[in-house]
């Protein structure tokens, strides 16, 4: 048995995963306040791992992090406000188990490649669209990983000159237009919904399909998303694209128009309508399962 942990921009999930990639036990915590977030993460992990250790024989711990990892340390996780943080060393000392860290999108891509929608393809791209946008590339059957610095920061490629200020300090990053957080904020602000609950936002969209302002916001979002994704397709020419994160909960609202704009619009250098575009099969569990594969 291995323990997989997925630290997201707004929640932490921990799961006990067997050798077939099935989650046997799971616990989750929402992150409401990010002050002293390191302590919150450590305490939640330690408490849960100690409980699991009492019941099962644990081999190791893998943690999916929404940020940049180098030499098993968190270099920065901009959406959590964390920099230069040696989480693995702290946990190993207390838990007496090997702890490995990896970028969350890379973990989710590994899980989808081993157990999910990407399994049939040698060349694919995984995009996790949630609080931010994470990405990973499987090329010729292998997860691409640059040598010196982590890379594949699709979310911080610029799609708008002098555009929105990003958490990373640059302007116009893909993530500042394409994250689900931005999408939900825009709708909530425009219509005074006072909520960022995915369920409430989806209900509102379904009940107001004909509203012109709402349609404009959705079309604009799909346009920005398509520009960023087409840049990735034009570089890697994947056989398949797979979407994880809370984006996966908007299948009818966002995925269908995105497919149309990508495949029928004028964004692809090589006009292709054979790219497979799917939602992640493992949904929000991909991070936990993938963390046990690193
Ligand atoms: Zn950025």
């Amino acid at each position: 048995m291995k323990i997989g942990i997925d630290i997201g921009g707004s929640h932490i999930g921990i799961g006990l995963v067997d050798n077939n990639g099935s989650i046997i036990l799971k616990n989750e915590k929402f992150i409401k306040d990010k002050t002293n977030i390191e302590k919150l993460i450590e305490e939640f992990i330690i408490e849960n791992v100690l409980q699991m250790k009492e019941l099962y024989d644990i081999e190791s711990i893998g943690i999916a992090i929404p940020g940049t990892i180098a030499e098993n340390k968190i270099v920065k996780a901009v959406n959590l406000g964390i920099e230069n943080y040696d989480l693995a060393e702290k946990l190993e000392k207390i838990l007496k188990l090997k702890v490995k860290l990896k970028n969350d999108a890379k973990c989710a891509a590994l899980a989808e490649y081993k157990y999910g929608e990407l399994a049939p393809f040698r060349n694919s791209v995984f995009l996790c669209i949630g609080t931010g946008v994470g990405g990973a590339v499987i090329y010729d059957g292998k997860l691409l990983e640059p040598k010196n610095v982590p890379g594949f920061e699709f979310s911080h490629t610029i799609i708008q000159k002098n555009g929105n200020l990003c958490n990373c300090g640059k302007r116009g990053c893909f993530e500042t237009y394409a994250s689900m957080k931005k999408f939900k904020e825009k709708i909530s602000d425009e219509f005074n919904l006072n909520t960022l609950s995915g369920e409430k936002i989806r209900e509102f969209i379904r009940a107001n399909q004909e509203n012109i302002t709402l349609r404009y916001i959705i079309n604009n979002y799909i346009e920005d998303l398509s520009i960023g994704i087409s840049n990735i397709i034009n570089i890697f020419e994947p056989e398949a694209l797979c979407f994880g994160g809370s984006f996966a909960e908007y299948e009818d609202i966002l995925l269908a128009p995105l497919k149309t704009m990508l495949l029928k619009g004028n964004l692809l250098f090589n006009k292709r309508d054979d790219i497979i575009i799917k939602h992640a099969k493992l949904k929000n569990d991909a991070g936990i399962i993938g963390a046990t594969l690193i």
Side-chain angles (χ1 to χ4, degrees):
M1 294 281 185
K2 288 183 178 175
I3 290 176
I5 298 165
D6 184 20
I7 302 179
S10 55
H11 102 291
I12 311 176
I14 181 164
L16 186 70
V17 182
D18 71 11
N19 292 338
N20 301 314
S22 300
I23 297 178
I24 310 292
L25 274 176
K26 191 163 102 173
N27 196 8
E28 282 176 290
K29 184 183 180 77
F30 285 88
I31 302 170
K32 288 191 189 106
D33 183 5
K34 286 179 187 163
T35 45
N36 222 346
I37 189 159
E38 289 94 338
K39 191 162 176 261
L40 181 146
I41 291 170
E42 286 167 33
E43 283 178 358
F44 176 76
I45 293 175
I46 290 166
E47 188 192 331
N48 280 278
V49 171
L50 290 177
Q51 282 174 13
M52 289 175 182
K53 258 180 96 175
E54 274 184 27
L55 300 169
Y56 298 91
D57 194 13
I58 311 291
E59 223 175 290
S60 61
I61 300 172
I63 309 181
I65 305 282
T68 310
I69 310 296
E71 293 169 354
N72 214 31
K73 291 184 189 121
I74 303 174
V75 178
K76 58 182 169 183
V78 291
N79 289 324
L80 292 173
I82 289 175
E83 261 187 57
N84 301 320
Y85 173 37
D86 195 348
L87 175 63
E89 192 194 27
K90 287 194 171 175
L91 295 175
E92 281 175 349
K93 259 188 201 154
I94 296 167
L95 298 169
K96 314 283 181 226
L97 283 166
K98 181 87 197 126
V99 177
K100 281 197 232 167
L101 308 187
K102 205 179 203 59
N103 170 272
D104 59 350
K106 288 180 179 161
C107 289
L110 285 173
E112 284 295 328
Y113 184 49
K114 181 142 192 195
Y115 301 112
E117 293 292 357
L118 297 179
F121 308 103
R122 304 265 312 157
N123 298 293
S124 60
V125 169
F126 182 89
L127 282 179
C128 182
I129 306 179
T131 310
V133 177
V137 181
I138 308 266
Y139 194 80
D140 203 16
K142 286 200 187 86
L143 183 72
L144 279 189
E145 296 200 82
K147 274 272 174 287
N148 299 326
V149 287
F152 298 105
E153 299 292 348
F154 299 134
S155 50
H156 302 286
T157 53
I158 293 169
I159 64 163
Q160 186 80 56
K161 181 182 170 184
N162 297 327
N164 297 339
L165 182 64
C166 181
N167 283 338
C168 76
K170 302 195 298 149
R171 280 196 177 272
C173 290
F174 178 40
E175 173 168 296
T176 68
Y177 297 88
S179 76
M180 284 310 293
K181 186 166 174 260
K182 288 282 169 197
F183 176 72
K184 289 192 284 189
E185 275 173 3
K186 221 168 208 171
I187 292 176
S188 183
D189 291 350
E190 181 67 38
F191 298 98
N192 296 314
L193 302 181
N194 274 324
T195 179
L196 289 178
S197 142
E199 213 177 310
K200 296 220 167 85
I201 302 269
R202 283 193 296 278
E203 262 171 40
F204 177 81
I205 294 173
R206 290 195 179 109
N208 294 279
Q209 303 261 9
E210 302 304 314
N211 183 295
I212 290 173
T213 309
L214 181 63
R215 273 169 49 195
Y216 175 78
I217 292 174
I218 294 175
N219 286 344
N220 220 19
Y221 174 75
I222 294 293
E223 242 171 38
D224 289 334
L225 194 56
S226 303
I227 290 170
I229 294 172
S230 69
N231 290 336
I232 301 168
I233 295 175
N234 287 334
I235 295 168
F236 295 101
E237 296 295 354
E239 294 161 78
L241 274 172
C242 183
F243 294 99
S246 53
F247 181 83
E249 289 153 17
Y250 292 73
E251 179 135 29
D252 52 329
I253 298 163
L254 300 176
L255 191 70
L258 175 68
K259 271 186 189 174
T260 308
M261 195 167 286
L262 276 176
L263 301 181
K264 311 278 179 220
N266 191 29
L267 291 166
L268 299 186
F269 179 80
N270 294 309
K271 303 286 175 239
R272 292 175 54 194
D273 55 10
D274 62 343
I275 306 171
I276 311 288
I277 300 176
K278 290 199 161 183
H279 276 318
K281 181 181 169 189
L282 306 168
K283 300 226 159 72
N284 279 335
D285 289 340
I288 291 178
I289 298 168
T292 66
L293 299 171
I294 59 183

